[in-house]
Amino acid sequence: MKVHFTETVLRDANQSLIATRMPMSVFEPILETMDKAGYYSVECWGGATFDSCLRYLSEDPWERLRRIKEKMPNTKLQMLLRGQNLLGYKHYPDDVVRRFVQRSVANGIDIIRIFDALNDTRNLKVAIEETIKCGAHASGAISYTTSPVHTLEKFAALAKEMAEMGVKSICIKDMAGVMSPKEAYDLVSAIKDKVNLPVVLHTHCTTGLAFMTYLKGIEAGADVIDTATSVFSGGTSQPATETLYYALSQMGYEIDLKPEVLKQVNDHFKPFFNEAIASGLLDPTVMGTATEALDYKIPGGMLSNLISQLKAQNAIDRLPEVLEETPRVREDLGYPPLVTPMSQIVGVQAATNVLLGERYKSVGKELKAYVRGEYGRAPGEIDPELVKKILGDEKPIDCRPADLLEPEFEKTKKMLGERATSDEDVLSYIAFPQVAEKFFTEREKRMENIVKYTIEAIE
Ligand code: CO
């Protein structure tokens, strides 16, 4: 039996432990070594890396991708894409989704892992279609959660539907780290029964289950696991690459990794990790084990958001009530997985219900949009009384949300004129307008300075 490894230090581990603040200069020198490690793929782009490059690091995310490709020509580069939301939280029109996928592949991406927070396949359709058209590997990701409507049969049917859409692998994406070893075993088995595709397991160490979850998932036939080089593993990040290599190879699993290269990779990231602790970039609490998510069925990140929200309103004593209200709100809404943006929407509403002393007395704009169907189809039924209370006579939409959007790429390109030096710039702007604007200005300043110093040097 063979087990493959996807290394996440450049994307998810970076995002989970240090808010995606790792600059290219830190990892560029080790890329050629990483290229020899024998990874199935390296997750290096997408998710929050794009925004973070532009917003905090003054780096062009596209340039980052091209340089990674140059230094890692033999390793499959992987990105995470939120379906029709691309890397953001709203729906983008189809022309933008297609362009974004095209340019990602053209700049070096080999595998695009595509997910939707609600597991609404209509929100995955265009991204999957375009990825396949571009000749890249589309991996269909299931946003994992537990609820009375999230049964093994439904998850397996979802995997089957994605297989019919042409994906080359199925990823079980447990962003909150709440999938137990038994759940992994049962779910991998259920998917393998229905679909003849490689299954990828993705989880986080947040609740302490991850190593056991991977082991049981592999016993059920999972083909690929997501891990992080040990110094960037654990806590809210992935389980350690070297540890799983050690344990699994002892059990007789065949693994392509080269332990001596893994060591070099890990040694490279150690000084940066230590600096991140010293500078406060890494908050030590993310390295611990938080089992609250298992008790309350609320992901760790959502719990800390709730706590700070209640503290800000001087109402931290109401936390137990809010924690009881949260699953009720989730039930009213048809059990959406508690991932961005649903975790925020459900959390804010639960707190509002408790603090105002009356349920749904006040309802946020995002919750209204969700009930209207603007995020896609709810996994279960939304409480009809709540729909009536929130929408009145207005009818929810039943089409694919992006069907209502006008094409945007050519219009934006024209509007930006010379400020955008490439189609990639136009896409950066569409994804994050203010942040891209700021980045363009910084880039122009840097260019002016280079020209100035060059002229001075000549003079
Ligand atoms: Co993750």
Side-chain angles (χ1 to χ4, degrees), residues 146-151 154-155 334-335 379-381:
T146 55
S147 89
V149 301
H150 288 90
T151 58
K154 281 212 180 147
F155 277 136
Y335 300 103
E381 193 196 13

Side-chain angles (χ1 to χ4, degrees), residues 255-398:
I255 302 169
D256 287 336
L257 295 176
K258 295 195 183 71
E260 65 287 358
V261 181
L262 298 184
K263 185 180 182 314
Q264 285 175 35
V265 171
N266 198 50
D267 286 346
H268 177 81
F269 285 103
K270 272 184 191 163
F272 177 68
F273 183 83
N274 292 334
E275 269 168 46
I277 293 181
S279 69
L281 176 59
L282 187 132
D283 172 352
T285 59
V286 302
M287 298 309 296
T289 301
T291 52
E292 289 87 348
L294 303 176
D295 302 332
Y296 303 123
K297 299 285 173 198
I298 293 172
M302 180 176 171
L303 184 69
S304 46
N305 275 347
L306 277 177
I307 290 171
S308 57
Q309 194 189 328
L310 289 173
K311 273 190 185 154
Q313 299 183 57
N314 259 328
I316 191 66
D317 57 315
R318 312 292 297 271
L319 181 64
E321 291 164 78
V322 175
L323 290 177
E324 271 176 39
E325 174 65 0
T326 305
R328 287 197 291 256
V329 171
R330 184 171 177 238
E331 182 181 344
D332 293 342
L333 296 180
Y335 300 103
L338 293 178
V339 285
T340 308
M342 293 318 300
S343 46
Q344 288 84 339
I345 296 176
V346 170
V348 167
Q349 193 59 47
T352 311
N353 288 356
V354 168
L355 296 181
L356 293 183
E358 186 189 327
R359 307 190 73 217
Y360 305 106
K361 188 177 183 186
S362 160
V363 166
K365 178 168 116 252
E366 288 81 10
L367 185 92
K368 268 187 200 150
Y370 170 79
V371 173
R372 229 183 264 130
E374 287 173 20
Y375 289 91
R377 219 180 271 132
E381 193 196 13
I382 305 180
D383 178 18
E385 293 212 353
L386 182 64
V387 176
K388 206 159 173 231
K389 183 166 184 174
I390 291 177
L391 296 188
D393 292 333
E394 196 188 335
K395 271 212 151 307
I397 62 164
D398 56 9

Side-chain angles (χ1 to χ4, degrees), residues 11-12 173 202 204 238:
R11 206 287 298 177
D12 205 352
K173 180 175 158 59
H202 174 89
H204 292 251
Q238 270 74 51

